[in-house]
Amino acid sequence: MLAASATLEETHMQIALFIAELLVVLGCIVMGTRSSGVGLGLWGGTGVAILVFVFRVPPGSPPVDALLIVLSVVLASSMMQSAGGIDWMVSVAAKLIARSPKQITLVAPLISFLFSVGAGTSNILYPLLPVIQDLSYRNGIRPSRPLSLSVVATGVALACSPVSAAMAAMVTLTDVAPWNFELVDILKVTIPAAVVGIVVSSFVVNRLGRELAEDPEVQAKIARGELAPPRTGAAEVKADVTVTTAGRNAAIIFLLGVAVIVLFGLFKALRPLDASGDPVSMTPIIEIVMFVAGTVILLVSRPKVGEIPTMTVFKAGMVSAIALFGLAWLTDTFLGAHAKLISEGVGGLVTAAPWIFALGVFLVCVLTTSQSTATRTIVPIGLAAGIPLGLLSGMWAGAFAGIYLLPTNGSQIAAANFDTSGTTKLGTKLVDHSFFAPTLILAVTTIGFGALFGVLWGG
């Protein structure tokens, strides 16, 4: 009886410690979100300090592999940007979008998705926004439709890119024993799920809002002379970028590097062997290929190395790396201390209702606007719960749309500012902006199809 009482008391103590430490983790995430940027990383590191020195929890492992992948990819992509590679990619994307102006609500999001996958960043969308706005308005299509879905599509694209920070975090979590779920295993679920999700979402989004001819605000602007009426077949629309041969070469080299990474992922026999005689894992392969790609860009396109730290891709990548470092270290410390409780308690709940996992990734994306942070925070819980890796990957991809649920992202603000018709709105009540419905629609469709494809062939 006394033993049972002691055991019950010990259990209550463990639960109390779990709740207290969980509050520390959540509190640091909230404070980091309020600070934004590198503040996420700082608060994550502070949370580690509280858990270690106050609660005497052993420190977890910093996400070294994920950080090294991010740094190598950021370096190579920044070299490409400095050489003009992103400008060249934008010009190509603009031409592809302009070929089918009447289907722009479908074509623009797909092209934005494709090029974000290739570049590993959603920053490529910014120069495309005025092109999408102009083409849609000229053809009598409400600009908010293709603009909003294009923005949200770049969010799920990072779950399909071999060179995104989020994929770096995912690969380093799953491409290890006992899961051994590699890059290609993830991509064969996330890419079709995202593409089908975008296609289905485009049909729904294309019905959101009034037609331009029936919109009193747009018609009033036209009547006052503030806005020209739509004119199909006007002059060719071009992205506001400078295209150079060096930029083209840099982009091709970078994309070839991405293709090589996928090739190594598909065919293990191409990889060298490690000390144990097994094929080298994809983590060092990605790092090596990106370093080589950056070096070839340096030799062929001659970008100014001194300008690399000023590139927008470099700045955004460094911020992501710092946020990933702090928050991933924090969650690893917390999860390591309560692995058994989480796997048995929370794990049982997630196993019974896997959609809770998707909701968790979605909400962390909303709070942190960082897919890599959401990955390192929630995916370990899903792994501990025993969710099949294919199912987990499919739901993980769709939940990435959550970063656009609130109108606080730079691309959302830019899209609203570029829309001269005024149909793309940021709203005043957090849920009345033009991106709210497309975010939920794309998240639900991609999660749904991701779960389906994951069960069918994801493993």
Side-chain angles (χ1 to χ4, degrees):
M1 182 118 175
L2 289 175
S5 177
T7 302
L8 183 61
E9 184 177 344
E10 184 179 341
T11 301
H12 288 162
M13 180 64 71
Q14 289 177 346
I15 294 174
L17 281 174
F18 175 83
I19 294 173
E21 292 169 19
L22 177 61
L23 290 175
V24 170
V25 174
L26 295 177
C28 287
I29 291 175
V30 170
M31 293 302 296
T33 302
R34 292 179 63 182
S35 302
S36 73
V38 297
L40 283 165
L42 291 173
W43 277 104
T46 300
V48 173
I50 296 173
L51 293 181
V52 171
F53 291 104
V54 177
F55 291 92
R56 301 297 176 178
V57 172
S61 302
V64 176
D65 287 337
L67 286 173
L68 294 179
I69 292 178
V70 171
L71 292 178
S72 63
V73 170
V74 166
L75 179 58
S77 56
S78 298
M79 296 290 288
M80 175 185 66
Q81 183 182 23
S82 178
I86 287 184
D87 287 347
W88 179 80
M89 292 175 69
V90 167
S91 70
V92 173
K95 292 176 183 177
L96 293 174
I97 293 172
R99 288 182 179 179
S100 305
K102 291 295 184 181
Q103 287 77 43
I104 195 167
T105 306
L106 170 62
V107 175
L110 284 175
I111 296 299
S112 300
F113 165 83
L114 176 64
F115 279 80
S116 294
V117 168
T121 173
S122 58
N123 289 336
I124 195 171
L125 178 65
Y126 285 90
L128 289 176
L129 292 174
V131 175
I132 297 171
Q133 188 277 331
D134 201 354
L135 280 172
S136 56
Y137 182 75
R138 287 183 183 187
N139 287 273
I141 297 170
R142 188 178 181 87
S144 61
R145 296 169 180 170
L147 283 172
S148 61
L149 189 55
S150 295
V151 167
V152 180
T154 62
V156 298
L158 301 191
C160 306
S161 173
V163 289
S164 70
M167 185 60 77
M170 186 67 164
V171 168
T172 54
L173 288 171
T174 61
D175 189 12
V176 293
W179 298 286
N180 298 317
F181 201 70
E182 297 195 339
L183 173 66
V184 173
D185 298 316
I186 299 170
L187 294 178
K188 71 182 182 183
V189 176
T190 61
I191 290 178
V195 170
V196 176
I198 291 171
V199 172
V200 174
S201 297
S202 70
F203 289 105
V204 181
V205 171
N206 206 35
R207 298 178 180 276
L208 297 179
R210 298 181 178 182
E211 301 297 335
L212 292 179
E214 301 170 356
D215 191 314
E217 293 184 14
V218 173
Q219 293 305 312
K221 286 184 177 181
I222 294 175
R224 292 194 300 267
E226 298 176 6
L227 190 65
R231 293 180 181 178
T232 304
E236 182 184 359
V237 178
K238 296 181 179 180
D240 186 19
V241 293
T242 301
V243 179
T244 63
T245 301
R248 179 202 63 193
N249 293 339
I252 291 174
I253 292 167
F254 183 84
L255 293 175
L256 283 175
V258 176
V260 168
I261 290 171
V262 174
L263 194 64
F264 276 120
L266 283 171
F267 303 102
K268 289 186 179 182
L270 296 177
R271 305 182 209 168
L273 303 180
D274 59 20
S276 62
D278 297 321
V280 172
S281 74
M282 284 304 296
T283 296
I285 292 292
I286 295 171
E287 295 162 1
I288 292 169
V289 171
M290 284 293 99
F291 269 112
V292 172
T295 303
V296 176
I297 291 172
L298 176 64
L299 294 173
V300 174
S301 298
R302 301 287 184 180
K304 296 180 180 179
V305 178
E307 294 180 352
I308 299 304
T310 67
M311 295 292 103
T312 56
V313 170
F314 188 89
K315 293 177 182 178
M318 291 302 103
V319 170
S320 296
I322 293 170
L324 175 62
F325 183 13
L327 287 181
W329 195 9
L330 171 62
T331 54
D332 190 83
T333 300
F334 173 73
L335 293 173
H338 301 285
K340 184 177 180 181
L341 180 60
I342 290 172
S343 61
E344 294 178 357
V346 180
L349 182 63
V350 172
T351 303
W355 61 267
I356 295 177
F357 166 80
L359 180 62
V361 177
F362 184 87
L363 291 177
V364 175
C365 282
V366 173
L367 292 173
T368 65
T369 67
S370 170
Q371 294 99 325
S372 56
T373 299
T375 300
R376 292 292 306 200
T377 303
I378 304 299
V379 168
I381 297 175
L383 293 174
I387 298 178
L389 271 295
L391 177 61
L392 182 145
S393 298
M395 295 190 295
W396 168 73
F400 275 14
I403 67 169
Y404 298 114
L405 188 69
L406 303 179
T408 55
N409 196 280
S411 56
Q412 293 169 296
I413 297 171
N417 289 334
F418 278 123
D419 187 0
T420 55
S421 70
T423 60
T424 306
K425 303 180 184 298
L426 295 176
T428 58
K429 302 174 183 176
L430 295 181
V431 296
D432 59 341
H433 57 91
S434 299
F435 306 90
F436 187 81
T439 293
L440 294 179
I441 293 167
L442 185 57
V444 170
T445 53
T446 306
I447 289 172
F449 284 107
L452 175 62
F453 296 146
V455 170
L456 289 177
W457 60 68

